[in-house]
Structure formats: structure tokens, C-alpha cells
Amino acid sequence: MQITSRWTLSLFLLSAFIVPVSGQAKSDTASNIRAMEIKWTEAYKERRVDLLYSLLADDFIITIEDGSIFSKVGYISHSADTSVRVEIAELSDLKVRMHGDTAVVTGAYHEKGDSNGKPYEYRDRLTDVWMKVGGKWQVIASHYSVPFKG
């Protein structure tokens, strides 16, 4: 009886230490994903093609506000377009949900600039999906939409 009680107490104490460590790892990964989201936004604004290339998975796909869909190459080409000048690119209200080696990010995005000399401004909602690919976190899918105001 005494051995069983000690064994149960040992398992309980061990589990008390394992759960927080697992939760901390999940929290650290979510923080890293959030930081990579910000890095991606800055790379887009600054036309850092090299950084965009490393953050996006080879089979990356994005759907933008007008319903257009771009692959990795198409998105990077669009991002490198010198006829577009991005003045503001900012994220807010980011929430990261972890599911093993997949992270789903939701939030708000504000972009302002000019395209071919004409001003534009977007206030979007976003959903990004990150996956650990070959030991490295990369974006595999992204969707931006303009909220409907009825």
C-alpha cells in the first residue's frame, strides 16, 4: 500500500513538471511564429525577396483581397514590383493557435501606399497557416479579405 502511494505521488509530481514545460514550449513557439509574421510583413514592405523566399514554403499559396491567387513565385514577383510603394504595412490583433507542427494565425492588417502613382489603402483580416517543414517554420497558405460592412 505504501509503495503504491509513493508511486502515485511520484507520478503526480512528475506530471506537474511536465505539463508546464510542454505549455511553455507551445507558448515559445507561438511567440516565434508571431515574430516571423512581423518579419514577413517588414520583408514585404522593404521588398526583401531573399527573406520572403526563406519564409514561404515552396507550395505556398495566397489569396488576396480581390480574390486573386498567387503561388510563391507569383507573390514574390508581385512583392518586388517597383511600381508599388508601400508606406505602411502593419499587423494587429494577432492570435496564434498551435496544432502540433502547424500554427494558424489570425489578425488584422493595414496597408497604405501608392501603386502606379495612385494612392491605395487596405484594412484587412488575415489567416495565415505556418507549418514546420524540414525542421523550419514556413508559411504554407495565406488569405486576406476586406471585412464586409453592411
Side-chain angles (χ1 to χ4, degrees), residues 2-18:
Q2 205 171 12
I3 293 174
T4 304
S5 295
R6 284 185 186 165
W7 180 249
T8 304
L9 179 61
S10 296
L11 284 176
F12 174 76
L13 291 173
L14 182 60
S15 69
F17 288 106
I18 291 173

Side-chain angles (χ1 to χ4, degrees), residues 45-77:
K45 181 180 177 187
E46 298 167 3
R47 291 191 191 102
R48 294 272 321 273
V49 172
D50 57 329
L51 190 51
L52 291 173
Y53 191 82
S54 72
L55 291 171
L56 308 178
D58 288 341
D59 61 348
F60 170 79
I61 189 110
I62 186 171
T63 304
I64 61 170
E65 299 85 358
D66 68 2
S68 297
I69 298 171
F70 293 97
S71 65
K72 179 177 182 172
V73 171
Y75 174 77
I76 290 175
S77 295

Side-chain angles (χ1 to χ4, degrees), residues 110-125:
H110 175 222
E111 183 177 323
K112 183 177 179 179
D114 64 70
S115 177
N116 294 315
K118 296 178 183 166
Y120 71 88
E121 186 169 11
Y122 296 115
R123 292 190 183 275
D124 301 343
R125 295 299 302 174

Side-chain angles (χ1 to χ4, degrees), residues 85-146:
R85 187 175 52 84
V86 179
E87 296 169 22
I88 296 171
E90 57 191 8
L91 299 165
S92 61
D93 192 29
L94 287 182
K95 292 181 179 48
V96 179
R97 294 180 318 201
M98 299 301 304
H99 301 278
D101 283 347
T102 304
V104 177
V105 179
T106 56
Y109 178 72
H110 175 222
E111 183 177 323
K112 183 177 179 179
D114 64 70
S115 177
N116 294 315
K118 296 178 183 166
Y120 71 88
E121 186 169 11
Y122 296 115
R123 292 190 183 275
D124 301 343
R125 295 299 302 174
L126 67 93
T127 303
D128 294 331
V129 180
W130 293 76
M131 184 176 280
K132 203 167 198 181
V133 180
K136 178 177 161 184
W137 286 97
Q138 292 185 309
V139 186
I140 61 169
S142 184
H143 184 271
Y144 283 69
S145 62
V146 178

